[in-house]
Amino acid sequence: MDYFKNLLDLLKIEREEDRNQYRKLTETTSVAERRANGLTWYPIAIRGSEMSRGDYLTVEVERTTHQDIPHQLRFGMPAVFFSNHDPKNDRVEGTVTHQSGNRLKITLRTDELPDWSRDGKLGVEALFDDNSYDEMEAALKQANTLSEKSDNRLISILTGEKSPTFHPETPTRYLPKLNPSQVSAVGKMLTANELAIVHGPPGTGKTTTLVQAIKALIAQDHKKILVVAPSNTAVDLLSEKLHDEGLNVLRVGNPARVSERLMALTLDHKMAEHPYMREAKKLKKQANEFKNMAHKYKRNFGKAERDQRKALFDEAHRIMKEVGSSEQYIIDDLITKAQVITATLVGANHYTVRNLTYHTVVIDEAGQALEPACWIPILKAQKVVLAGDHCQLSPTIKSAEAARKGLSITLLEKCVSLHPEAVSLLDEQYRMHEHIMGYSSQVFYENKVRAHASVARHSLFEGDTSLVFVDTAGCGFDEKLEGTSSTNPEEAALLIKHLTQLVADLSTRYTKQDFPTIAIISPYKQQITILKDQLLSAPELQDYGNKISVNTIDSFQGQERDIVYISMTRSNAEGEIGFLSDIRRMNVAMTRARKKLIIVGDSATLAGFPFYADFIAYSENLNAYQSAWEWM
């Protein structure tokens, strides 16, 4: 089917570009640069090792310095364990099987620690993640075969060849925690035979709705449900909420947030608690002892010693086989008992759950999910629920060509336009003052989203305005280019000045404990750097440092603050706005604030683009327009 062949081609382009970028990052750089780029932990100390599945060795390591550097080493990633003594030859590949804080476990494709692990300094480095691409490719090929061979209804619906069906209304459930649009979304998920879509604009309680729907689906079908999302953070949030509702949740993979409560839901933890595990642990210890004895015979002994060494190794392997089958029994038992299995999209193919099938799969944050990755869980189910918002950020794609040819269009977006009858819009939001929300609702949601009474008029204090556009036109604040990123130091200085005044005003109304939370966001990375520097040199703001966060728009998706400042940055005579023209990104930015949104920008540059021209008119109608001259 051309549909999947096309996706396979796009995925190939993306893999190539991703691999090239990885090569660029690694081939010509020193270990210190790779560490700064988050690819490498170096130096590390070995904290322990044990035999694991398939006679491989699992080593636990800890990074002993540079612990504040963010890194990309995640559960399931291929990685290499190396020594700086001879990094070309002293290296062995493996997979990261656990990561939390400054420790990780890596399972190496060897059955003993190499001799060189005692020489020089050791490190662990992320390898290019071919595994994820292989899984996506395999899923697309399988979907293609199924679409050509059999009458697979779900595939024909998702590719637009057939329409979804719904069975007559099921008895309505009593859902006191939900509003009418949420109740009707749950109803649609229960009556759908193949596809239901939950469209959740910012602040509309999508997670709450999904949790109640999953609970209702389990009560209705008594069948296992698979819940997936593109990011570990989203999976963690749902896992925790489903667990709080009393469901038996099994979290496959390694949570991003390492809280006690989440850890208790993971397969590793549940296995460790299982009554049969005691026996397996005893056997494992025995195998490790045999192995250690075998290691005492070094290779240059005579025949008798060699035979003895081999006998000890054979015995260790035999015991490990036994451990393997009792662990498999425990895994099967835990899976049987679980009502919900949660994982990332690729994690749904983890070896422990690879062959499971489900009645329903729920894909959350589907607006940020790469379509090829969605097919991994979809092929395991008869029915799919897509939840997300295609009017917010789409997935990150490395290849401009693949994005242009359609890889950036998500399955959610396709299905919303193909099958409007499957869509439920959540239309009541619980985050923003109605003036903050109004423009987003008008442009993206056909004016259908409204503010719940509890937030519609809430403000920082009686009589405060909730929306401000500070116009820098005519101030001569011209943007500069730093590397590939735009900056505007004067706009940044004005924003910090505005913030300083606001904080001074609020400090007479709030104590430090209950002071409002503040975010300063900008689409441009370099502008963020400048804002952070200026914030540090503003003495009046130092006492409130823990209340103020500064970061790019993308890192705030899904978050909220009482007050949000947006630094638009672009200001030039040509009216060029670059990727500010990505209005979905602006939708995310403009909908993070609960009580006050302040946008600082140059109307002369922005107004050439209809989205911003209309926004400026919207703010003028609300008396929210100010000239920067008032602040100069």
Side-chain angles (χ1 to χ4, degrees), residues 510-543:
Y510 288 91
T511 66
K512 278 204 179 123
Q513 277 64 48
D514 65 0
F515 202 81
T517 53
I518 302 168
I520 304 172
I521 56 187
S522 168
Y524 294 97
K525 279 202 181 79
Q526 283 312 122
Q527 183 73 347
I528 294 297
T529 309
I530 291 177
L531 284 159
K532 281 180 175 165
D533 291 347
Q534 295 197 3
L535 189 64
L536 288 173
S537 47
E540 309 87 338
L541 297 174
Q542 294 321 303
D543 292 355

Side-chain angles (χ1 to χ4, degrees), residues 462-478:
E462 190 62 44
D464 186 40
T465 50
S466 63
L467 180 70
V468 182
F469 175 65
V470 180
D471 187 0
T472 65
C475 295
F477 292 0
D478 286 342

